[in-house]
Amino acid sequence: MDTTSVGYTLPSDLNARQREAILYLNGPCLVLAGAGSGKTRVITQKMAYLLRECSYQGRQIAALTFTNKAAREMDERVKALVDSRLAKGLTISTFHSLGVRFLREEAKYVGLKPQFSILDAADALGIIQEMLATTDKARLRAVQQTISLWKNALMDPDAADQAAVTPSEAEAARIYRSYNATLEAYQSVDFDDLIRLPALLLQDNQTVRERWQARVKYLLVDEYQDTNECQYRLVQLLTGSRAMFTVVGDDDQAIYAWRGATAENLAKLTTDYASLKLVKLEQNYRSVQRILSAANAVISKNPNLFGKKLWSDLGVGEPIQVSAMDTDEVEAEAVAVRISAERFERHAHWKDFAVLYRSNQQARVMEKALRNLRIPYTVSGGQSFFDKAEVRDVLAYLRLLANDDDDPAFIRAATTPRRGIGQATLHALGQFAAQRQLSLFAASFEVGQAGLLADKQLGPLTTFGAFIQRFQERAGRRYSDRVAVSAEPAGILLDSLLEAIQYERYLYDALDERQAEGRWQNVLELVGWLKRKAEEDDLDLFELTQHVALVTMLERAQDEDPDAVKLSTLHASKGLEYPHVFLVGVEEGLLPHMGRDEEDADPDQAAASLASRIQEERRLMYVGITRAQRSLHLTWCKKRRRAREDVVREPSRFIDEMGLSKVALQEDPESSPLTPKQRLGMLKALLSKGGDHEGKG
């Protein structure tokens, strides 16, 4: 039956192409969704259609995306569209969340215990650092990134050995082999494994593959241009020969090549699935036409996979402004002043404004300018307090005290500060724990009987285990062979713990005085907050640790929307939108960004990589332009400080490609530093103007 003919009443404000994408169920479907074209609505309406009209059960449908925020939004929208009984069992999650669920169920097939641990990037980097025996962060991250790219391309250590060409790649391949062996010994996986291992298992195990294909009757995938080889293969294996899926993506917004994503996955669908249905969503519901015309003009310079052109019926809109600035300080100050002025003139909120930039380094001078004018702001992608190394170190002890099955917490606490428990000891302990199906903590009390460790390795391990047990007893943990004692207050235990592990001394031994002092202050801030919480809510140490775990999860999950200007890199701005956008640093060398290797290399040698980079940077520019709803202002600097010297800059080629080169020649009338007196006068004028506006309203 042709399901497109089913008489299902869709919302009347959907356009023809959106309807086509929702109703098509005769095979694989690619929805090419331009920026602001309502793709999330298409996905959620399609799920509602499957549940309400096509006899699909919730447990037979899965929708995958890349962020928890997107998954939550999708889940909320579907629940608003269908009865909760129909949606029961519906899977709406990130690729990684689905991978966790898959591996918990199928753990035995990949040699894991069901309670395997997941190492985050920081814990994984610690293992690599131990193997490389270096503190060179750039080198460590390069190795971690290379291993990640290999995993995402489904390459094992043998394949990586063969592929390695440069000395740095050969080093990464060597570490990759040891790193994988260590993860296996720890009964742990990293984030890349959450997708790699399910893909490999589905590929190699027919029983598991058929079970999951029978379970996932229909699959929907958002942001398909951000998938890597591993994710493409996972989708292919989950859907099988039936290929009942809808994927939504935009090749013009593919900006994550550096982490293995490839827009070629969109083109690959057309060759792997001969019956693929292609639907283009080109009507934009976000931006005025002038902004879309500029975006279309820029992206048209890239090789075109499918060809699409965004349009809007929201009106032409005001002209895009381009300003040339003398320096980055002048640029930041002028943008801050304009935001202040426009907030009053437009009767807007601070949160209606965003300042976007190519590099995190541009944020510092912008923050200073906003602070000087007392403009509230938030920085997207800033490090969470709970992600700071020193905070994670202390919390690892609390996590282990509360749950000694927490293997990542055991590894971190056992090795920070160092106490003679090295990688070789942990490796042997991990293998023993895996064989006996024990946690690392439990295994540390039994491994001595197996004769796997020398006395000098076993001593620090048993000492550490006894240390943790003593604190568990003080916190109220009962052991059958010991007399029960009442739990000591959490505040006293926290002070005792910090003193016992000598964390302050460790910081001052490992770092220079200024860094150590800053980190120790963070630890004191954490402990002070924990003590207050324990006293206010009458929590013991175990209850307090559970509260912290919830807080750290919620901190990552909650979408705060304060009335503040948003500062964000272009990468972090993807998927967001703002009425008024200031795109700063639109100049050659910065946007498009040039790595030092390409700026300094022989032009002939760098030509191929440069062409690819420019295409990706052009897509990034396209993303930046299409964040703006009503107004867009570009700025560039004639000089920008780099490595303690001023470098002469030229306007970005993208300004010309937008058709704004003549506008770019205009000098900004405010592109001169303001004295404190001038700034005060300007603020008084703005406040006066704002009062007039409010009075007239």
Side-chain angles (χ1 to χ4, degrees):
M1 177 176 106
D2 184 348
T3 50
T4 59
S5 64
V6 173
Y8 177 49
T9 305
L10 292 173
S12 59
D13 57 346
L14 289 168
N15 65 46
R17 296 285 78 77
Q18 289 174 327
R19 288 168 178 272
E20 183 181 10
I22 292 166
L23 296 174
Y24 185 79
L25 285 178
N26 292 335
C29 179
L30 166 59
V31 181
L32 202 66
S37 62
K39 65 181 178 63
T40 304
R41 193 176 186 209
V42 165
I43 293 173
T44 51
Q45 286 286 349
K46 187 154 193 170
M47 280 191 274
Y49 173 55
L50 289 166
L51 291 167
R52 290 168 59 181
E53 300 294 325
C54 304
S55 303
Y56 278 84
Q57 296 177 302
R59 57 187 172 80
Q60 297 174 324
I61 301 171
L64 300 178
T65 187
F66 283 85
T67 67
N68 289 320
K69 178 185 173 185
R72 280 197 313 279
E73 182 185 349
M74 220 177 273
D75 188 53
E76 288 164 5
R77 288 204 201 182
V78 171
K79 284 176 178 171
L81 292 172
V82 299
D83 186 279
S84 58
R85 288 170 297 178
L86 284 178
K88 188 178 180 182
L90 185 67
T91 297
I92 300 177
S93 75
T94 63
F95 273 94
H96 291 94
S97 296
L98 180 69
V100 172
R101 180 173 148 198
F102 181 99
L103 288 177
R104 295 278 185 225
E105 287 187 34
E106 313 293 354
K108 64 181 180 181
Y109 293 105
V110 290
L112 290 170
K113 59 183 182 185
Q115 298 79 31
F116 63 85
S117 300
I118 303 166
L119 299 186
D120 64 20
D123 291 330
L125 194 65
I127 293 173
I128 293 170
Q129 181 170 9
E130 185 82 25
M131 292 172 175
L132 279 175
T134 180
T135 56
D136 183 341
K137 287 187 178 177
R139 184 179 164 203
L140 288 167
R141 289 201 180 103
V143 168
Q144 187 176 39
Q145 169 80 351
T146 303
I147 292 172
S148 177
L149 289 173
W150 281 332
K151 285 194 171 192
N152 289 334
L154 290 173
M155 293 170 65
D156 62 15
D158 288 337
D161 267 335
Q162 302 252 325
V165 176
T166 65
S168 60
E169 286 175 349
E171 177 180 66
R174 175 177 59 81
I175 296 298
Y176 182 17
R177 191 175 298 280
S178 303
Y179 172 72
N180 255 16
T182 301
L183 289 186
E184 287 173 16
Y186 289 174
Q187 284 287 286
S188 298
V189 297
D190 61 20
F191 275 7
D192 296 320
D193 289 330
L194 294 177
I195 299 165
R196 181 181 73 95
L197 292 175
L200 290 174
L201 182 57
L202 286 168
Q203 181 175 281
D204 299 336
N205 189 308
Q206 184 179 347
T207 303
V208 174
R209 183 169 64 249
E210 288 176 352
R211 179 163 63 247
W212 278 82
Q213 286 178 354
R215 183 185 300 189
V216 181
K217 297 287 189 184
Y218 203 93
L219 182 69
L220 303 100
V221 186
D222 191 17
E223 303 284 11
Y224 202 71
Q225 78 283 347
D226 292 340
T227 56
N228 55 41
E229 174 63 28
C230 197
Q231 288 156 337
Y232 184 93
R233 191 78 184 113
L234 183 68
V235 168
Q236 203 171 37
L237 290 162
L238 279 173
T239 55
S241 57
R242 289 176 63 248
M244 292 298 284
F245 65 78
T246 293
V247 300
V248 182
D250 182 5
D251 51 316
D252 293 333
Q253 294 189 73
I255 58 172
Y256 294 115
W258 49 275
R259 68 183 191 198
T262 171
E264 291 305 313
N265 279 349
L266 292 169
K268 199 173 172 187
L269 286 170
T270 62
T271 55
D272 286 351
Y273 298 95
S275 62
L276 183 76
K277 171 77 169 178
L278 175 64
V279 181
K280 295 181 187 178
L281 303 184
E282 296 173 293
Q283 182 175 358
N284 176 286
Y285 294 92
R286 173 189 300 160
S287 309
V288 293
Q289 187 58 45
R290 209 183 296 257
I291 287 168
L292 297 181
S293 296
N296 288 334
V298 167
I299 208 65
S300 69
K301 302 295 188 292
N302 266 4
N304 206 305
L305 280 178
F306 298 100
K308 68 178 187 311
K309 199 169 186 179
L310 294 179
W311 62 275
S312 164
D313 59 9
L314 298 176
V316 175
E318 57 195 76
I320 296 171
Q321 298 179 40
V322 183
S323 302
M325 304 289 181
D326 285 335
T327 67
D328 55 353
E329 289 189 353
V330 172
E331 176 184 53
E333 195 159 63
V335 168
V337 167
R338 281 176 180 253
I339 289 173
S340 281
E342 290 194 17
R343 175 172 170 265
F344 286 107
E345 290 166 2
R346 297 180 184 275
H347 299 278
H349 299 286
W350 292 121
K351 65 183 179 182
D352 293 336
F353 297 89
V355 182
L356 309 182
Y357 38 80
R358 177 63 179 83
S359 166
N360 269 314
Q361 295 170 336
Q362 294 168 261
R364 183 190 59 79
V365 67
M366 197 66 238
E367 287 187 73
K368 181 181 175 185
L370 292 172
R371 282 198 302 267
N372 284 342
L373 290 183
R374 297 186 179 179
I375 296 174
Y377 67 89
T378 59
V379 182
S380 181
Q383 187 185 34
S384 156
F385 179 74
F386 291 102
D387 281 337
K388 293 180 185 295
E390 59 275 16
V391 172
R392 288 161 54 82
D393 287 343
V394 175
L395 290 179
Y397 281 89
L398 300 188
R399 284 164 49 198
L400 186 59
L401 290 174
N403 173 21
D404 47 41
D405 284 339
D406 189 335
D407 287 347
F410 176 90
I411 293 166
R412 193 172 189 109
T415 56
T416 314
R418 295 193 180 282
R419 50 172 55 81
I421 301 173
Q423 209 68 43
T425 303
L426 288 171
H427 199 283
L429 180 67
Q431 288 180 320
F432 176 76
Q435 289 166 3
R436 297 289 304 276
Q437 293 286 291
L438 298 170
S439 69
L440 294 176
F441 181 78
S444 69
F445 293 96
E446 299 184 19
V447 69
Q449 300 163 20
L452 296 174
L453 295 174
D455 288 344
K456 67 177 182 179
Q457 291 175 297
L458 191 59
L461 200 58
T462 53
T463 300
F464 176 68
F467 167 77
I468 294 297
Q469 280 194 332
R470 282 198 302 277
F471 269 90
Q472 286 179 323
E473 286 180 320
R474 291 177 61 183
R477 174 82 174 262
R478 307 287 189 263
Y479 289 97
S480 58
D481 59 338
R482 306 191 192 181
V483 178
V485 292
S486 4
E488 294 180 34
I492 292 173
L493 282 170
L494 284 165
D495 287 337
S496 255
L497 182 66
L498 280 183
E499 186 180 349
I501 64 177
Q502 297 187 306
Y503 195 78
E504 183 180 15
R505 178 179 169 184
Y506 157 73
L507 288 175
Y508 279 91
D509 285 347
L511 304 165
D512 64 51
E513 187 173 348
R514 187 176 171 186
Q515 281 183 302
E517 185 180 357
R519 292 196 179 191
W520 181 241
Q521 286 305 314
N522 287 334
V523 171
L524 293 179
E525 183 182 336
L526 170 71
V527 171
W529 174 72
L530 289 170
K531 285 179 178 177
R532 286 193 302 275
K533 198 69 197 167
E535 195 171 328
E536 288 168 7
D537 296 349
D538 192 25
L539 304 176
D540 64 27
L541 195 69
F542 299 132
E543 293 166 335
L544 185 63
T545 304
Q546 288 175 333
H547 174 76
V548 173
L550 183 62
V551 166
T552 54
M553 283 191 291
L554 287 176
E555 186 193 62
R556 292 178 174 90
Q558 281 176 342
D559 302 320
E560 294 183 8
D561 189 25
D563 187 20
V565 174
K566 175 57 70 77
L567 301 185
S568 174
T569 61
L570 287 165
H571 281 100
S573 74
K574 186 163 169 285
L576 303 175
E577 56 189 55
Y578 307 92
H580 311 291
V581 168
F582 288 79
L583 188 43
V584 299
V586 188
E587 61 213 38
E588 288 295 301
L590 193 53
L591 184 61
H593 180 72
M594 307 292 182
R596 281 188 180 276
D597 53 337
E598 285 161 351
E599 283 188 330
D600 302 334
D602 179 330
D604 292 334
Q605 294 176 353
S609 98
L610 182 60
S612 175
R613 179 189 280 275
I614 293 297
Q615 289 171 20
E616 174 122 345
E617 294 290 305
R618 191 174 279 118
R619 293 193 291 270
L620 199 55
M621 181 71 183
Y622 175 86
V623 166
I625 295 168
T626 54
R627 298 314 92 199
Q629 296 171 307
R630 288 174 53 198
S631 76
L632 177 63
H633 190 147
L634 313 181
T635 63
W636 63 277
C637 296
K638 298 169 188 174
K639 288 185 295 186
R640 187 173 294 274
R641 178 140 303 245
R642 177 170 168 175
R644 298 185 181 178
E645 63 178 81
D646 288 329
V647 179
V648 175
R649 291 297 198 185
E650 296 291 334
S652 169
R653 70 192 72 188
F654 300 149
I655 293 175
D656 183 43
E657 292 175 1
M658 290 169 73
L660 300 173
S661 55
K662 289 182 181 177
V663 183
L665 297 175
Q666 296 178 3
E667 300 295 323
D668 191 288
E670 293 163 355
S671 67
S672 57
L674 296 171
T675 65
K677 187 175 181 181
Q678 287 172 320
R679 187 185 295 120
L680 183 61
M682 183 175 294
L683 278 174
K684 284 180 178 176
L686 288 171
L687 288 168
S688 172
K689 186 187 292 185
D692 291 344
H693 277 305
E694 288 165 5
K696 290 172 186 173

